[in-house]
Amino acid sequence: QVPLVESGGGSVQSGGSLRLSCAASGYIDGGRYVGWFRQGLGKEREGVAAIASDGATSYVADSVKDRFSISLDAAEKTVYLEMNNLQPEDTAMYYCAAGRSFSGFIWRTDEREIINWGRGTQVTVSS
């Protein structure tokens, strides 16, 4: 499978910002949906955001929509997750993923729609 390559994780203090990048050329060209999941220690994995390969539609989870945004650079075939006002509860491993639809990012029961995963990048927010 074509890999998804994440970058941009790191450690910040509460209130800080980070931008995660996901190189997703094989999936942007293929008309797929690309987005992000996160999983904190001892927590369930949750879909955070996703965007269609044409960049026209996107999804951001209610839990973060006031602080996170997703965007697509079509020329670079890269998806970005902009995270602002980060809080300690945002500490997690963040995974880029490609899917056949938005539903795979929204509903745990539809995770079969996810067709590939990145290796993950750690985000740590200290208070």
Side-chain angles (χ1 to χ4, degrees):
Q1 289 192 355
V2 179
L4 295 159
V5 183
E6 305 112 325
S7 60
S11 297
V12 296
Q13 290 194 325
S14 180
S17 298
L18 284 174
R19 187 176 76 162
L20 306 184
S21 302
C22 177
S25 60
Y27 302 96
I28 300 301
D29 290 338
R32 298 301 190 183
Y33 297 76
V34 178
W36 298 87
F37 286 81
R38 69 181 181 182
Q39 187 165 20
L41 197 62
K43 298 182 180 179
E44 287 193 351
R45 184 169 57 212
E46 63 171 329
V48 177
I51 192 164
S53 59
D54 63 0
T57 53
S58 63
Y59 158 78
V60 181
D62 287 344
S63 59
V64 297
K65 68 190 311 178
D66 292 337
R67 301 181 294 119
F68 291 13
S69 62
I70 190 167
S71 61
L72 166 67
D73 184 324
E76 296 295 323
K77 297 181 172 56
T78 298
V79 174
Y80 298 99
L81 183 69
E82 188 77 37
M83 304 185 295
N84 298 310
N85 191 22
L86 283 160
Q87 301 299 313
E89 54 265 34
D90 296 314
T91 294
M93 186 71 81
Y94 284 71
Y95 297 92
C96 183
R100 287 184 281 260
S101 68
F102 278 130
S103 66
F105 295 89
I106 300 171
W107 310 111
R108 284 298 301 272
T109 53
D110 283 353
E111 272 197 14
R112 64 186 179 278
E113 294 291 297
I114 302 302
I115 59 176
N116 200 14
W117 298 85
R119 291 175 176 245
T121 186
Q122 178 68 35
V123 171
T124 302
V125 185
S126 58
S127 58

